[in-house]
Amino acid sequence: MLEPSTVSTCLSPAVHYMICKVGFELQGSYDIRRILTIDNEVCWEALSENMCYKATGEFLDFIQSIRQLGPLCQAVHTHFTSLSSTEFEEQFGWCFHWTENTEVYLMVGKECPFLLRDLLASTELAAILSKPVMDVLKVFLGSPESLNLRNILWHGFASPDDIPAKYCSTLLLLTAGLGQLLKTYLSLTHLPLEHRPYFLLNSPKDMQVFPSISDKALFAAELLIVKSKFALPHMTSFWIEAIAAFQQGRYADCVILLLPQLECSLRLVFTVVNKCPNRMLTAESAVLYTTFDEILTEQLDSGSENQVPYTLGEPAMEFLLDFLNHQEGPRIRDHLSHGEIQLNEFPKEIANQLMFFSLVMLYKNVEHEDVFFKEMADVFNPLINAVESYKSMFHPIALLQKQVIECCDSLQEWTHLPSPPDHSEQVRKVEGSADPGMLFTHETLYIISLHKHQIKDFTDVEDLDYCILTDKFTTMTNLCNKHIKKLFCHRWVVEVVGILRKVSTQLYLISRNVIFISELRYEQWMQKALRSRQRQNYIRMLYSIKILTPILRLFVMLVIVNMQNIHTILEKNLVDYQKYIKYLKSILQYAENMSSYTSFEKNRWDETIELTRRILLKITTFNDKHELSQAIKDNQP
């Protein structure tokens, strides 16, 4: 648990001076009509004439530019706050249409707390910063030498009193002005306005691992914020506003407010456990900020081990990495802060996950002797248990586990594939009287025997034989749920997992190909809609399916074996690792060829048998060499 914080600001002296002081050093009035015409068109010349440059004339002098802009920003703020909501909408509403979030800007104009105004405005402006519009934007949202409002706000350094309200009003003005410029440009060029597609959060309901937050927990949340050492005292109003937004169904607002505070509080944890209090403040222009990326990493810049993972625990780390970092996860902060998510369609499920986790972090940092802590134990202990049971959903290993289960389930459907009556005799005629299901039995059993020591859940090799050679294959899915370490994987591990995922994808495609063609051909057979050649091909397919059923199960087993033992590859030297990668890629090549040959378009069943014969020989040869090499190592003194 954290000790009471003595931090009163998260801005370094230089940054605090830049944001809170420089823009107020020049006093005096500024005529709003120099900035806005009578028709409310933004005069960019008035803005750009306040830009100051260093002696070379090439680089902006940010401090002097901000100093010069101070009175102008104040005039803008005074004007905007003098307008009623109706007047603001009538005069500027159309200027925000280009953002596709007009209603957000109208709300920002009059009703939002200043932090939320800045966050929303900078989110939209970030969407067009890929083409630097002009130096004015650089002063507000540019490099660390500027006001740098976007980064300071999104990384949780700003308190309610740190960002002058006049800068929020000026961001609104800039957004409106860009809308005006864009409208003029489109009218002159007769080009349509094409918005980039928003990032879609796939199946947000599937991401809701934690249950809905109870009314009791939300009711107690405000007092929890005040009592918890996890929330910095000068940041409490942001936490309270985030909870209010959640209760009001403003889920995007909730998350926009919550993420910077989570980062700020976790930065506090980072500085305490790693004994580096100076990292709590915004960095100067020559030093990187301490952000989520550093807070959640394995090692510090100094090379010493980051203590945050030990403090938070593996489940909490997996949750944060799932929702913030993993490439195939929602990466909520990245997409929100770059204006890539439609705010009015933000899913409740995601907000619930982040709020749930935040409440747990707050409660765990309340004094245990506090009466509140004891009284609310029944409310918050179930939340703690849920977080401490979290398992990664978006780490590559977790995604591989999910893929393998899908493969197992799909292959199990083969046991229920329809086949025409009295077809068995025709199948036997394909390759004589031998049972096709026994064609590669010897090779399959031998390969299983080579891997039995790597699957601890099957103590007897016959159990594994029975599982793969019979319809009891469903028990293999149990192996996919075994815990595998996912934090801070070595690049070799990541590479191998990537190959195994590609293999699993192809195995799944093979299975779906077989299921689709089998059901189609059966229906056509029963309707007598197949020509003679198609009937013969269908019979060959039924023959091949009997052969391939245990083979594909074997390949799923190989994926599971390699997945379960993924971290043992670090015991290999570079040469052995490269041989191992080559071996896995040969399995991938086989799976890709099989996926192609079993497709509806190709339907090349004879080739699948020959492909299988060759790959089984490669697998046997590689594993025989591995067993021999291991035996030699074990017998060395």
Side-chain angles (χ1 to χ4, degrees), residues 268-508:
L268 176 63
V269 174
F270 175 90
T271 59
V272 170
V273 299
N274 290 308
K275 298 179 174 59
C276 51
N278 58 304
R279 301 295 294 275
M280 192 65 201
L281 303 181
T282 47
E284 306 307 323
S285 59
V287 185
L288 294 175
Y289 293 165
T290 303
T291 64
F292 273 132
D293 289 340
E294 253 195 305
I295 294 167
L296 302 179
T297 196
E298 182 178 15
Q299 287 187 324
L300 307 180
D301 290 340
S302 62
S304 58
E305 198 168 19
N306 182 9
Q307 296 302 305
V308 169
Y310 298 101
T311 303
L312 297 184
E314 188 173 328
M317 286 291 295
E318 288 190 352
F319 171 83
L320 290 167
L321 291 169
D322 262 3
F323 279 79
L324 299 173
N325 282 41
H326 290 322
Q327 287 301 305
E328 294 180 64
R331 290 172 51 224
I332 293 299
R333 207 274 301 279
D334 288 348
H335 292 300
L336 266 178
S337 65
H338 288 92
E340 297 172 354
I341 294 179
Q342 181 60 276
L343 300 179
N344 58 14
E345 296 177 4
F346 194 88
K348 176 183 178 180
E349 293 84 359
I350 301 295
N352 184 85
Q353 294 293 96
L354 291 167
M355 180 61 73
F356 194 103
F357 179 83
S358 300
L359 292 177
V360 167
M361 295 303 297
L362 288 164
Y363 182 73
K364 290 177 76 171
N365 285 281
V366 173
E367 285 285 356
H368 291 191
E369 299 305 316
D370 193 296
V371 174
F372 173 84
F373 181 88
K374 296 177 180 178
E375 289 178 347
M376 300 306 298
D378 291 342
V379 174
F380 287 102
N381 280 343
L383 277 68
I384 292 174
N385 293 336
V387 168
E388 291 180 348
S389 301
Y390 185 85
K391 295 180 181 178
S392 177
M393 294 186 289
F394 300 109
H395 188 281
I397 291 176
L399 294 171
L400 173 59
Q401 289 174 307
K402 182 181 178 182
Q403 284 180 263
V404 174
I405 290 173
E406 289 174 348
C407 275
C408 291
D409 291 342
S410 183
L411 285 173
Q412 194 61 22
E413 292 182 41
W414 287 27
T415 60
H416 305 295
L417 289 177
S419 56
D422 303 325
H423 73 289
S424 300
E425 185 63 30
Q426 297 179 65
V427 170
R428 279 195 293 271
K429 290 179 181 178
V430 175
E431 293 289 345
S433 59
D435 182 354
M438 301 298 292
L439 183 58
F440 294 121
T441 299
H442 173 74
E443 294 91 334
T444 301
L445 291 175
Y446 182 66
I447 291 171
I448 292 173
S449 70
L450 293 175
H451 291 87
K452 67 174 183 176
H453 64 283
Q454 294 178 291
I455 301 184
K456 301 176 181 61
D457 294 72
F458 287 87
T459 53
D460 188 334
V461 69
E462 292 181 2
D463 293 339
L464 193 53
D465 299 347
Y466 182 70
C467 175
I468 289 177
L469 297 176
T470 70
D471 294 343
K472 299 299 181 182
F473 182 65
T474 50
T475 56
M476 291 294 289
T477 60
N478 298 331
L479 298 175
C480 301
N481 295 318
K482 299 298 179 183
H483 178 264
I484 301 173
K485 179 180 177 293
K486 301 178 181 68
L487 290 181
F488 313 129
C489 291
H490 191 276
R491 61 183 177 84
W492 285 6
V493 172
V494 175
E495 182 178 14
V496 170
V497 170
I499 297 172
L500 293 178
R501 288 187 65 191
K502 290 178 181 178
V503 171
S504 298
T505 298
Q506 296 302 320
L507 293 177
Y508 182 78

Side-chain angles (χ1 to χ4, degrees), residues 52-61 135:
C52 300
Y53 297 84
K54 294 184 178 179
T56 60
E58 184 179 355
F59 300 105
L60 277 167
D61 184 331
D135 288 345

Side-chain angles (χ1 to χ4, degrees), residues 27-45:
Q27 298 298 320
S29 60
Y30 197 99
D31 185 1
I32 190 62
R33 288 305 164 206
R34 291 183 60 191
I35 314 164
L36 285 171
T37 69
I38 195 69
D39 296 322
N40 292 308
E41 292 184 6
V42 176
C43 301
W44 289 95
E45 294 81 3

Side-chain angles (χ1 to χ4, degrees), residues 524-540:
Q524 292 173 327
W525 177 289
M526 298 305 292
Q527 294 175 352
K528 298 183 178 180
L530 293 175
R531 296 188 298 274
S532 174
R533 186 172 180 177
Q534 289 176 320
R535 289 196 300 272
Q536 290 302 312
N537 187 269
Y538 180 34
I539 293 298
R540 297 199 73 82

